[in-house]
Amino acid sequence: MSEHGQRLLALTDRLNGTESYDQAADLVNQILHPLDGALERLADFFEAAGEKAKESDADDGFDLAHDFEEAAVDIRRLNEDLHLAVDRMHALTTPPPEPPVRVTYSAATAVPTPAVVAGRHR
């Protein structure tokens, strides 16, 4: 496996091991950040590969360049489609459940009943 593939696999493992949606959102942001996320850099890579293919005088170089340029567009479109994913992942964080209400009896707060009132000394 390539070094970059290993890094993505490690990021995936970290995502699988997160304990909160906030941690997961931070990892998702590494892929989807619109300026320097992995998808944006991958689109840049395919654009550069397309430019390199155009340097060839072969007909296939232009066809290959077109394929790379389409890939870059598709990746950017995917990144745009997922532009709210980080915020949505953060929003999945649910507040902790409220503690159950404990009902306790206290003589200080008890409402006197007629039997208790009758038994009191005045």
Side-chain angles (χ1 to χ4, degrees):
M1 181 181 303
S2 73
E3 177 184 338
H4 299 290
Q6 289 174 348
R7 286 183 184 171
L8 285 172
L9 185 57
L11 188 65
T12 302
D13 289 343
R14 287 178 52 203
L15 178 66
N16 287 329
T18 58
E19 295 182 9
S20 74
Y21 292 109
D22 287 331
Q23 290 173 339
D26 291 342
L27 294 172
V28 168
N29 191 51
Q30 291 184 35
I31 301 297
L32 298 179
H33 190 278
L35 300 177
D36 59 3
L39 280 184
E40 183 61 27
R41 295 293 70 86
L42 186 60
D44 291 344
F45 176 85
F46 281 122
E47 283 181 347
E51 291 301 316
K52 182 54 86 175
K54 284 181 188 177
E55 292 175 6
S56 168
D57 290 334
D59 288 337
D60 195 41
F62 287 102
D63 291 339
L64 184 56
H66 177 74
D67 292 343
F68 283 135
E69 289 166 1
E70 279 187 11
V73 167
D74 290 343
I75 290 167
R76 287 206 169 93
R77 186 173 301 125
L78 174 63
N79 209 21
E80 288 172 11
D81 289 347
L82 294 172
H83 76 281
L84 294 177
V86 173
D87 293 336
R88 291 174 66 196
M89 183 68 82
H90 277 294
L92 294 177
T93 302
T94 55
E98 293 191 25
V101 176
R102 288 185 52 193
V103 179
T104 58
Y105 174 80
S106 169
T109 60
V111 176
T113 61
V116 173
V117 172
R120 284 192 186 160
H121 300 291
R122 291 184 195 204

